[in-house]
Amino acid sequence: ASVKMNIPDTLRAFSQSLIQRNKERKRLRGPAHLQYAIADSISMLNPQVWQQLAQNSGFFMSHAYFAAMEQVLPLNLSPRYALIFDGHGPDAEPVAAIYMQLADVSLAQARPEADPDDADGWRYPIEQLAQNARQRVLVCGNLLTFGQHGIAFAANTDLALAWHGVAEVLYRVRQAEKLAGKTHFVMIKDLHDPFIEPAKQLENLSYRYVETEPNMVLDLDASWKNHDDYLASLQSKYRSGVKNAVFKPL
């Protein structure tokens, strides 16, 4: 079979696609014409506005949760928060609440803890290399939980505008954090439906969607009244695994 291609039309369409992509990229790299309140602590932001935005986003986006978690975060995690508003002054409408974490990660954290009694001298340079191999990551979301726990949008908000605002917040935080050191990359954690489609415009800012492990969510059957009912629903090999690995006496 032979295929006839109109090369000029194909090139013209490709050229128009590039022009449109560059135009969209330029738009997103510019200001979203929104207003921002960015803080190092949740206590610095208006709790009523935060809770108004987060009321339908679950416990892990609540003001009370973040206030408590600030006190017990691992030493390599530092929180950042933001509120986005559309408009100026007292008439400004809340658009989104954003939770972020700055994470300092070293290769040493992925290695088994060194044995203090191990006197092998050749291991010292490797340990030093692992300690010095560090990455600084800005995460929109929570590294300590599963799920989209980084953004809460106002109901009926313009999602294209709101996501532009999210990108601008992340850019502003990353630029401000240059005072403390380079941020190597930015991640928006655990995007899932219905967030994926509206967030696709961020591909024009070099964001890329990366598939990771699914959320570990267990749907509870209405017929289960106790743990034995749950075990009875499992295949025998999994049921045996639970009994032998979890409940078997030591």
Side-chain angles (χ1 to χ4, degrees):
S2 61
V3 178
K4 182 179 179 180
M5 294 183 62
N6 190 328
I7 300 299
D9 286 349
T10 302
L11 290 176
R12 192 177 299 113
F14 181 67
S15 176
Q16 287 297 322
S17 176
L18 287 179
I19 291 172
Q20 183 60 35
R21 183 180 179 86
N22 287 334
K23 182 178 179 181
E24 181 66 5
R25 182 179 177 88
K26 184 176 181 180
R27 181 187 72 83
L28 289 172
R29 282 187 173 274
H33 303 295
L34 296 166
Q35 303 298 308
Y36 306 98
I38 300 174
D40 294 347
S41 171
I42 192 72
S43 63
M44 298 175 179
L45 298 176
N46 187 312
Q48 287 76 32
V49 173
W50 186 283
Q51 204 53 41
Q52 173 189 337
L53 290 163
Q55 60 183 332
N56 296 320
S57 296
F59 172 73
F60 291 109
M61 277 296 293
S62 69
H63 188 279
Y65 169 73
F66 288 130
M69 191 175 67
E70 273 188 27
Q71 312 305 315
V72 294
L73 277 176
L75 295 178
N76 67 323
L77 294 183
S78 179
R80 297 292 183 272
Y81 308 85
L83 290 172
I84 302 178
F85 297 87
D86 188 5
H88 297 270
D91 296 328
E93 290 292 328
V95 171
I98 304 175
Y99 175 66
M100 298 158 280
Q101 290 175 338
L102 280 158
D104 287 302
V105 184
S106 72
L107 183 60
Q109 291 172 276
R111 290 169 52 81
E113 188 173 347
D115 184 350
D117 297 326
D118 194 337
D120 290 346
W122 64 270
R123 296 193 180 191
Y124 179 74
I126 297 177
E127 292 297 331
Q128 285 293 99
L129 177 62
Q131 288 289 347
N132 293 330
R134 292 183 171 274
Q135 293 285 298
R136 201 156 183 258
V137 185
L138 174 59
V139 180
C140 179
N142 191 344
L143 290 170
L144 304 178
T145 65
F146 290 101
Q148 200 290 95
H149 302 144
I151 310 168
F153 293 115
N156 303 317
T157 194
D158 180 346
L159 289 179
L161 178 63
W163 276 107
H164 190 175
V166 171
E168 186 170 345
V169 165
L170 292 170
Y171 175 78
R172 289 186 179 208
V173 171
R174 187 178 188 184
Q175 291 299 107
E177 290 302 322
K178 284 185 176 180
L179 295 172
K182 180 179 178 181
T183 302
H184 295 90
F185 65 93
V186 179
M187 176 173 66
I188 301 174
K189 181 176 176 286
D190 291 344
L191 281 184
H192 50 73
D193 290 331
F195 303 102
I196 293 176
E197 191 62 34
K200 277 188 175 180
Q201 63 176 319
L202 299 188
E203 291 179 356
N204 293 301
L205 292 175
S206 300
Y207 283 89
R208 292 295 179 266
Y209 187 76
V210 178
E211 189 74 39
T212 57
E213 295 182 8
N215 287 345
M216 303 300 288
V217 177
L218 174 64
D219 292 324
L220 299 180
D221 192 306
S223 66
W224 297 345
K225 304 303 180 184
N226 50 49
H227 191 257
D228 288 337
D229 292 340
Y230 161 67
L231 288 180
S233 72
L234 300 177
Q235 295 181 20
S236 60
K237 61 179 180 180
Y238 296 119
R239 187 163 56 248
S240 298
V242 171
K243 292 179 177 179
N244 294 329
V246 178
F247 294 114
K248 186 177 181 179
L250 297 176

